[in-house]
Amino acid sequence: MLTHYFKIALRNLKRQKGLSLINILGLSIGLACFSLFLLYSVNEFSFDRFHKDADNIYRAYRWTEAMNGEDVKADIYMPSPLGPALKTDIPDVKEFVRFREDWGDDFIKINDQVSSGPVAYTDPSFFSMFTFPLKYGNPKTALSDLHNIVITEKKAIELFGMDNVVGRTIEIKIDQAFVPFTISAVAENIPANSSIEFELLGNFNFMETTNSGKRGVNNWHRSGYITYLKLNAGSGLLNDIQKLASFRRKYYPEEERRLKEAGHTWEANSPLIRFGLQPLKDGHTDTIIQGGTVDQVNPKTIWILLSIAAGVLFIACINFTTLAIGRSARRSKEVGLRKVIGGQRRELVLQFLSESIILSVISAILGFLLAKLLLPYFNNLSGRELSFSFSSYPEMAWMLIGLVLLVGLLAGSYPAIILSSFNPVEALKSKIKVNGSNFFTKSLVTVQFALSVGLIICTMIILKQTRYMTSKYPGFNKENIVVVDADGTESNEIYPLFKQALLTRTDVSAIAGAELGLGEGTGWSRSGFDYKGTPKSVFEYYVDSDYIPLMGMQLIEGRNFDPTITSDTINSVIVNEAMVKDFGWTIENAVGQVLTGYFRNLGPDKLPTVIGVVKDFNFRPFKEDVKPQMFHQFPDYVPYKYFVKIKPGNPSPSLDAMQKEWNTLAGNLPFKYNFLDENLDNFYKAEKRLSSIIGWAGGISVFLACLGLFGLVALAAVNRTKEIGIRKVLGASVANIVGLLSKDFLKLVIIALFIAAPLAFYFMNKWLQDFAYRISIGWWVFILSGVLAITIAFITIGFQAVKAGISNPVNSLRTE
Amino acid sequence: MLLELKNIYKWVNSGSRRIFLLKDINLEVKEGEFMSIMGPSGSGKSTLLNVIGMLDHFNEGTYNFLNEPVHELKEKHRANLYKEYIGFVFQAYHLIDELTVYENIETPLLYKNVKSSERKALVADMLDRFNIVGKKDLFPQQLSGGQQQLVGIARALISKPKLILADEPTGNLNSKQSEEIMELFKDLNNEGVTIIQATHSEMNASYGSRTIHLLDGMRNRTN
């Protein structure tokens, strides 16, 4: 019986080539889309599950209760002695591994060739706690020596051109000098669903002998290391908040008392600050506990993306359903006949369902190929390195099989029920006519267009908001500024020479130094202190006196830093308007104010003193309000970033000159630079990503919906051949016929528009609330998307309608 | 007695008026009969055939088929009954376009869950009998009308029915093809298959052993 179903399904597919193409094309695009997002979601939800002991590994975090009405804070950067202390004090802790992420500023040397090569450090037991298989080398001894280093396969090939590099030497710049390390093992590449990432991995104990590492040894007040713990099976430590709080109290005995004395308030019955343990597997989807090189993802976001993809797939399924119903007139005879010769309804339902499942299987095969083809682009979009590997994601196999069956059932069940319900006598007399105009089909088409128009409206609004943020004047000039990155160099010495040499050029108008760059990923530093008894938090920027003029910032009170005034490099600060307001000053009386309570001692009786006020500007993304900020030139800061203002136009000559100067000054260290405006644009990566994902989904939805519409109109034209013929004989023009066929469908598109607009408005308004600076949603967005949708729909319909309209009525009437 | 209809009424309501499609039909058909139903268009021939074939319901009266009271049977039981004992032949052949001759004939056996090997044998017999072995892999569109009707009859006969209901079986055929089909029916009848046909043609009716006339849904007794 199944082979019979299979046969008739294939012959039907062959017979109706156009419709089959629409169905298969639509479903395979929908399935390709969905399987990509499914892969993404499975990857996100499977983070860190590949470790054999994943169930027993935990990550330590610091939990700070909501204090002074602020939000709860939690992060995973721990002091170095935490791991050993936990193991000694709490018997449940079986093992600990500390991990220092790479800070992105290491230089390595191979055969006198210097390049940047980020190095992470970890305890030697790393490879016994985690499952990172080694391609070469022994996991037990991989980090046994202080000068051992583990490299990933990918990095090995990048650096050496081969993967078996055990025994080779890599020199790493530690403090001032290059120190040789021996490669002890080559690790397989890090899976895409790992929150622990490294390219080069050194021994934690070695790291603790370096200048920066030394400061952390036995220091409970310097946090920078992730601590992983393995607990004894069945341990209740995870939820034993009292035990964890008293552990904290042992090492920070005065903490709570001091905070209370300083006037901080919090919910009294829970400890203000405590350590906690987070199951390793939960880390990636927990957005409260911050930290790590891979950004945490809110599960809600994953579900939203998956729903959008499901929506696209749903549209493709609807195409199948509506076209199958539209085609039912053709098949009613077959149904009637099968019933007459003994087919039961159940058997007919089964027959139609197997047809749709066969179609779904064919589409799935095509869709899967399509998805594989699109994967690199999708990876670009998602920022992950995903692959369709059933060994990494074993659940994908049954999910995809389930998906194919589900799609077949979803798309096929309604037509199957309708078709199998036909009364055989009427079906044989071909009295039955379920064409594109029944209510169910109409609702489905409306849903399709509402979904796609909704997505298009959302895309336009997100795009507009992103463009608004990237083009809005931030309060300083961001164009034509090159930011040279001198992290890891003797910048104090290089900077003055670099500046002197380049300023002689006509295409360089100014150079300023700062400790930090600007924009995504270039860091910021915020400090908190009590000003006259109230806690304040201020963004601090170390800059030199050329910075404010170079950036074109506007001083509205006081003066800029002056190189000739000595106090300016000791305790003078320039603040912004937001800080003036936050500290309760006025623009007029701000100059001369002293930041009493500032956490650092700048010399005998030296406290930061305001010498000027700049107009507010946006260093942070436009998502946020302008925060209190201050510029200073306190001693022992180093200008690690050089802001070079160049002439508009082709930047290459200036860049070449800088590169040349850099090479003479910094020796063989690589020259790293960025353009300031690009750095700032990177703030909006997430929004850009979102708009391209939703934009693609919207475009594909529109395409699929139109594909379905195309088929429906074609069917309507066929089903109404006789009517059209008669009308033409009676004198209807082509335009009349086109109107006749398009009217019904265009009405649906307009209804869809009215459903989609308020929904899209609601969700986008909610989304925009997250932005301190935002556009208002103009009515033109809805008009534009409406006009767009109607035009596309009309072109789709018109093609078929005109074809029906110009056909010779005599032919259509004769064939009846 | 094969079947017996007593006081069968069938009507549809059109507004406040009731239009009778069948009115007080009484009919007995014995096994082995070859009966023709005649009457002008709209006289109720097809409706009566559909009622006899249990494809259509009636509003009043009793219908016994092989001593089973059809009017009291549940839908499923009724379907089993006609599946087992009745074969249908149509004016427009009603073959499934997507299936070959062979597969069209085979389909009723699929619905009766006949084993594959047995199906093959039965279909082969049928193809042999109607001399259409050479056409078994063709699709209906590739056959002439007469050949299509042969396939239709073969399909009706494949499940070895006691009764064949034929609704104007030669309505779409030329006179030579008609004659062949009627000869075939006669042969079948001689083999013991009961046949009821609806027809316009006196000529066709003359092949049968009995003729009844319908007019406006009633037995026309004047004739």
mmCIF file of all heavy atoms in Angstrom, chain A residues 117-144:
data_model
loop_
_atom_site.group_PDB
_atom_site.id
_atom_site.type_symbol
_atom_site.label_atom_id
_atom_site.label_comp_id
_atom_site.label_asym_id
_atom_site.label_seq_id
_atom_site.Cartn_x
_atom_site.Cartn_y
_atom_site.Cartn_z
ATOM 1 N N GLY A 117 49.783 37.129 19.404
ATOM 2 C CA GLY A 117 49.264 35.777 19.634
ATOM 3 C C GLY A 117 48.804 35.680 21.056
ATOM 4 O O GLY A 117 49.582 35.551 21.980
ATOM 5 N N PRO A 118 47.508 35.818 21.235
ATOM 6 C CA PRO A 118 46.977 35.865 22.590
ATOM 7 C C PRO A 118 47.261 34.577 23.367
ATOM 8 O O PRO A 118 47.090 33.473 22.848
ATOM 9 C CB PRO A 118 45.478 36.064 22.394
ATOM 10 C CG PRO A 118 45.214 35.796 20.971
ATOM 11 C CD PRO A 118 46.475 35.901 20.210
ATOM 12 N N VAL A 119 47.701 34.731 24.621
ATOM 13 C CA VAL A 119 48.026 33.582 25.454
ATOM 14 C C VAL A 119 47.101 33.559 26.670
ATOM 15 O O VAL A 119 46.917 34.580 27.327
ATOM 16 C CB VAL A 119 49.487 33.657 25.940
ATOM 17 C CG1 VAL A 119 49.844 32.402 26.725
ATOM 18 C CG2 VAL A 119 50.423 33.835 24.760
ATOM 19 N N ALA A 120 46.503 32.400 26.930
ATOM 20 C CA ALA A 120 45.711 32.205 28.144
ATOM 21 C C ALA A 120 46.525 31.307 29.082
ATOM 22 O O ALA A 120 47.426 30.598 28.627
ATOM 23 C CB ALA A 120 44.375 31.563 27.808
ATOM 24 N N TYR A 121 46.216 31.366 30.363
ATOM 25 C CA TYR A 121 46.962 30.545 31.318
ATOM 26 C C TYR A 121 45.994 29.735 32.176
ATOM 27 O O TYR A 121 44.907 30.214 32.501
ATOM 28 C CB TYR A 121 47.819 31.426 32.227
ATOM 29 C CG TYR A 121 48.899 32.175 31.476
ATOM 30 C CD1 TYR A 121 48.673 33.454 30.995
ATOM 31 C CD2 TYR A 121 50.138 31.578 31.249
ATOM 32 C CE1 TYR A 121 49.660 34.140 30.301
ATOM 33 C CE2 TYR A 121 51.130 32.259 30.547
ATOM 34 C CZ TYR A 121 50.891 33.539 30.084
ATOM 35 O OH TYR A 121 51.860 34.199 29.400
ATOM 36 N N THR A 122 46.427 28.541 32.550
ATOM 37 C CA THR A 122 45.551 27.729 33.395
ATOM 38 C C THR A 122 46.380 26.779 34.252
ATOM 39 O O THR A 122 47.548 26.524 33.969
ATOM 40 C CB THR A 122 44.545 26.944 32.553
ATOM 41 O OG1 THR A 122 43.559 26.389 33.410
ATOM 42 C CG2 THR A 122 45.215 25.825 31.780
ATOM 43 N N ASP A 123 45.727 26.245 35.274
ATOM 44 C CA ASP A 123 46.400 25.281 36.142
ATOM 45 C C ASP A 123 46.664 23.984 35.383
ATOM 46 O O ASP A 123 45.909 23.619 34.482
ATOM 47 C CB ASP A 123 45.530 24.996 37.370
ATOM 48 C CG ASP A 123 45.621 26.117 38.399
ATOM 49 O OD1 ASP A 123 46.751 26.551 38.687
ATOM 50 O OD2 ASP A 123 44.562 26.575 38.878
ATOM 51 N N PRO A 124 47.736 23.250 35.787
ATOM 52 C CA PRO A 124 48.114 22.037 35.047
ATOM 53 C C PRO A 124 47.016 20.967 35.004
ATOM 54 O O PRO A 124 47.001 20.150 34.103
ATOM 55 C CB PRO A 124 49.335 21.527 35.815
ATOM 56 C CG PRO A 124 49.894 22.731 36.472
ATOM 57 C CD PRO A 124 48.739 23.621 36.791
ATOM 58 N N SER A 125 46.085 21.003 35.974
ATOM 59 C CA SER A 125 45.047 19.956 35.985
ATOM 60 C C SER A 125 43.924 20.246 34.987
ATOM 61 O O SER A 125 42.939 19.501 34.925
ATOM 62 C CB SER A 125 44.476 19.820 37.391
ATOM 63 O OG SER A 125 44.069 21.081 37.863
ATOM 64 N N PHE A 126 44.055 21.313 34.209
ATOM 65 C CA PHE A 126 43.035 21.724 33.240
ATOM 66 C C PHE A 126 42.552 20.557 32.374
ATOM 67 O O PHE A 126 41.353 20.323 32.220
ATOM 68 C CB PHE A 126 43.637 22.823 32.364
ATOM 69 C CG PHE A 126 42.713 23.374 31.308
ATOM 70 C CD1 PHE A 126 41.753 24.318 31.631
ATOM 71 C CD2 PHE A 126 42.828 22.963 29.983
ATOM 72 C CE1 PHE A 126 40.916 24.837 30.655
ATOM 73 C CE2 PHE A 126 41.984 23.481 29.002
ATOM 74 C CZ PHE A 126 41.030 24.427 29.348
ATOM 75 N N PHE A 127 43.518 19.811 31.827
ATOM 76 C CA PHE A 127 43.124 18.770 30.863
ATOM 77 C C PHE A 127 42.534 17.541 31.530
ATOM 78 O O PHE A 127 42.007 16.669 30.855
ATOM 79 C CB PHE A 127 44.310 18.390 29.968
ATOM 80 C CG PHE A 127 44.647 19.470 28.984
ATOM 81 C CD1 PHE A 127 45.721 20.322 29.205
ATOM 82 C CD2 PHE A 127 43.857 19.670 27.867
ATOM 83 C CE1 PHE A 127 46.010 21.327 28.311
ATOM 84 C CE2 PHE A 127 44.141 20.677 26.960
ATOM 85 C CZ PHE A 127 45.224 21.516 27.183
ATOM 86 N N SER A 128 42.648 17.444 32.869
ATOM 87 C CA SER A 128 41.963 16.310 33.494
ATOM 88 C C SER A 128 40.554 16.711 33.912
ATOM 89 O O SER A 128 39.661 15.868 33.978
ATOM 90 C CB SER A 128 42.771 15.778 34.681
ATOM 91 O OG SER A 128 42.813 16.743 35.694
ATOM 92 N N MET A 129 40.321 18.005 34.158
ATOM 93 C CA MET A 129 38.959 18.406 34.516
ATOM 94 C C MET A 129 38.095 18.551 33.262
ATOM 95 O O MET A 129 36.953 18.102 33.224
ATOM 96 C CB MET A 129 38.956 19.734 35.284
ATOM 97 C CG MET A 129 37.554 20.152 35.694
ATOM 98 S SD MET A 129 37.438 21.734 36.553
ATOM 99 C CE MET A 129 38.097 21.414 38.142
ATOM 100 N N PHE A 130 38.656 19.141 32.217
ATOM 101 C CA PHE A 130 37.860 19.412 31.021
ATOM 102 C C PHE A 130 38.185 18.418 29.906
ATOM 103 O O PHE A 130 39.274 17.849 29.877
ATOM 104 C CB PHE A 130 38.122 20.834 30.520
ATOM 105 C CG PHE A 130 37.691 21.877 31.496
ATOM 106 C CD1 PHE A 130 38.620 22.581 32.235
ATOM 107 C CD2 PHE A 130 36.344 22.141 31.687
ATOM 108 C CE1 PHE A 130 38.217 23.535 33.145
ATOM 109 C CE2 PHE A 130 35.931 23.099 32.591
ATOM 110 C CZ PHE A 130 36.874 23.795 33.335
ATOM 111 N N THR A 131 37.237 18.245 29.023
ATOM 112 C CA THR A 131 37.437 17.340 27.900
ATOM 113 C C THR A 131 37.836 18.147 26.673
ATOM 114 O O THR A 131 37.016 18.468 25.830
ATOM 115 C CB THR A 131 36.148 16.552 27.613
ATOM 116 O OG1 THR A 131 35.663 16.034 28.853
ATOM 117 C CG2 THR A 131 36.409 15.408 26.649
ATOM 118 N N PHE A 132 39.086 18.524 26.607
ATOM 119 C CA PHE A 132 39.624 19.117 25.381
ATOM 120 C C PHE A 132 40.651 18.128 24.840
ATOM 121 O O PHE A 132 41.795 18.111 25.307
ATOM 122 C CB PHE A 132 40.302 20.472 25.668
ATOM 123 C CG PHE A 132 39.332 21.575 25.942
ATOM 124 C CD1 PHE A 132 39.239 22.127 27.206
ATOM 125 C CD2 PHE A 132 38.517 22.070 24.938
ATOM 126 C CE1 PHE A 132 38.344 23.153 27.469
ATOM 127 C CE2 PHE A 132 37.626 23.099 25.195
ATOM 128 C CZ PHE A 132 37.536 23.638 26.459
ATOM 129 N N PRO A 133 40.262 17.269 23.915
ATOM 130 C CA PRO A 133 41.169 16.203 23.470
ATOM 131 C C PRO A 133 42.436 16.795 22.845
ATOM 132 O O PRO A 133 42.385 17.819 22.162
ATOM 133 C CB PRO A 133 40.353 15.453 22.426
ATOM 134 C CG PRO A 133 38.974 15.959 22.514
ATOM 135 C CD PRO A 133 38.999 17.278 23.186
ATOM 136 N N LEU A 134 43.546 16.130 23.104
ATOM 137 C CA LEU A 134 44.810 16.556 22.516
ATOM 138 C C LEU A 134 45.088 15.726 21.278
ATOM 139 O O LEU A 134 44.923 14.513 21.274
ATOM 140 C CB LEU A 134 45.945 16.367 23.523
ATOM 141 C CG LEU A 134 45.859 17.190 24.809
ATOM 142 C CD1 LEU A 134 47.062 16.920 25.697
ATOM 143 C CD2 LEU A 134 45.775 18.679 24.488
ATOM 144 N N LYS A 135 45.504 16.399 20.238
ATOM 145 C CA LYS A 135 45.843 15.667 19.022
ATOM 146 C C LYS A 135 47.239 15.052 19.169
ATOM 147 O O LYS A 135 47.476 13.923 18.776
ATOM 148 C CB LYS A 135 45.811 16.621 17.827
ATOM 149 C CG LYS A 135 45.705 15.880 16.543
ATOM 150 C CD LYS A 135 45.160 16.746 15.430
ATOM 151 C CE LYS A 135 45.067 15.884 14.180
ATOM 152 N NZ LYS A 135 44.896 16.665 12.980
ATOM 153 N N TYR A 136 48.117 15.817 19.745
ATOM 154 C CA TYR A 136 49.463 15.323 20.061
ATOM 155 C C TYR A 136 49.774 15.740 21.486
ATOM 156 O O TYR A 136 49.391 16.824 21.911
ATOM 157 C CB TYR A 136 50.506 15.917 19.121
ATOM 158 C CG TYR A 136 50.202 15.676 17.660
ATOM 159 C CD1 TYR A 136 49.681 16.695 16.882
ATOM 160 C CD2 TYR A 136 50.426 14.412 17.078
ATOM 161 C CE1 TYR A 136 49.375 16.481 15.544
ATOM 162 C CE2 TYR A 136 50.124 14.193 15.747
ATOM 163 C CZ TYR A 136 49.602 15.228 14.984
ATOM 164 O OH TYR A 136 49.299 15.010 13.673
ATOM 165 N N GLY A 137 50.483 14.882 22.204
ATOM 166 C CA GLY A 137 50.879 15.234 23.554
ATOM 167 C C GLY A 137 50.054 14.513 24.595
ATOM 168 O O GLY A 137 49.021 13.920 24.290
ATOM 169 N N ASN A 138 50.527 14.584 25.817
ATOM 170 C CA ASN A 138 49.912 13.849 26.907
ATOM 171 C C ASN A 138 49.171 14.819 27.828
ATOM 172 O O ASN A 138 49.764 15.744 28.372
ATOM 173 C CB ASN A 138 51.042 13.143 27.681
ATOM 174 C CG ASN A 138 50.498 12.329 28.842
ATOM 175 O OD1 ASN A 138 49.337 12.466 29.217
ATOM 176 N ND2 ASN A 138 51.360 11.495 29.399
ATOM 177 N N PRO A 139 47.878 14.587 28.030
ATOM 178 C CA PRO A 139 47.111 15.539 28.845
ATOM 179 C C PRO A 139 47.631 15.647 30.278
ATOM 180 O O PRO A 139 47.487 16.681 30.914
ATOM 181 C CB PRO A 139 45.690 14.986 28.802
ATOM 182 C CG PRO A 139 45.769 13.616 28.264
ATOM 183 C CD PRO A 139 47.025 13.535 27.452
ATOM 184 N N LYS A 140 48.204 14.573 30.782
ATOM 185 C CA LYS A 140 48.653 14.598 32.190
ATOM 186 C C LYS A 140 49.863 15.507 32.364
ATOM 187 O O LYS A 140 50.026 16.133 33.400
ATOM 188 C CB LYS A 140 49.001 13.177 32.637
ATOM 189 C CG LYS A 140 47.766 12.314 32.848
ATOM 190 C CD LYS A 140 48.035 11.206 33.846
ATOM 191 C CE LYS A 140 46.795 10.348 34.017
ATOM 192 N NZ LYS A 140 46.548 9.500 32.812
ATOM 193 N N THR A 141 50.714 15.565 31.345
ATOM 194 C CA THR A 141 51.949 16.313 31.518
ATOM 195 C C THR A 141 52.008 17.567 30.646
ATOM 196 O O THR A 141 53.024 18.231 30.581
ATOM 197 C CB THR A 141 53.152 15.427 31.155
ATOM 198 O OG1 THR A 141 52.973 14.989 29.809
ATOM 199 C CG2 THR A 141 53.248 14.223 32.058
ATOM 200 N N ALA A 142 50.881 17.854 29.965
ATOM 201 C CA ALA A 142 50.930 18.936 28.977
ATOM 202 C C ALA A 142 51.404 20.258 29.577
ATOM 203 O O ALA A 142 52.098 21.029 28.925
ATOM 204 C CB ALA A 142 49.561 19.119 28.340
ATOM 205 N N LEU A 143 50.993 20.536 30.832
ATOM 206 C CA LEU A 143 51.384 21.813 31.422
ATOM 207 C C LEU A 143 52.212 21.583 32.682
ATOM 208 O O LEU A 143 52.178 22.385 33.615
ATOM 209 C CB LEU A 143 50.135 22.641 31.749
ATOM 210 C CG LEU A 143 49.371 23.180 30.537
ATOM 211 C CD1 LEU A 143 48.051 23.820 30.963
ATOM 212 C CD2 LEU A 143 50.204 24.197 29.770
ATOM 213 N N SER A 144 52.966 20.480 32.705
ATOM 214 C CA SER A 144 53.675 20.161 33.943
ATOM 215 C C SER A 144 54.840 21.111 34.175
ATOM 216 O O SER A 144 55.190 21.401 35.310
ATOM 217 C CB SER A 144 54.141 18.710 33.928
ATOM 218 O OG SER A 144 54.903 18.488 32.763
#
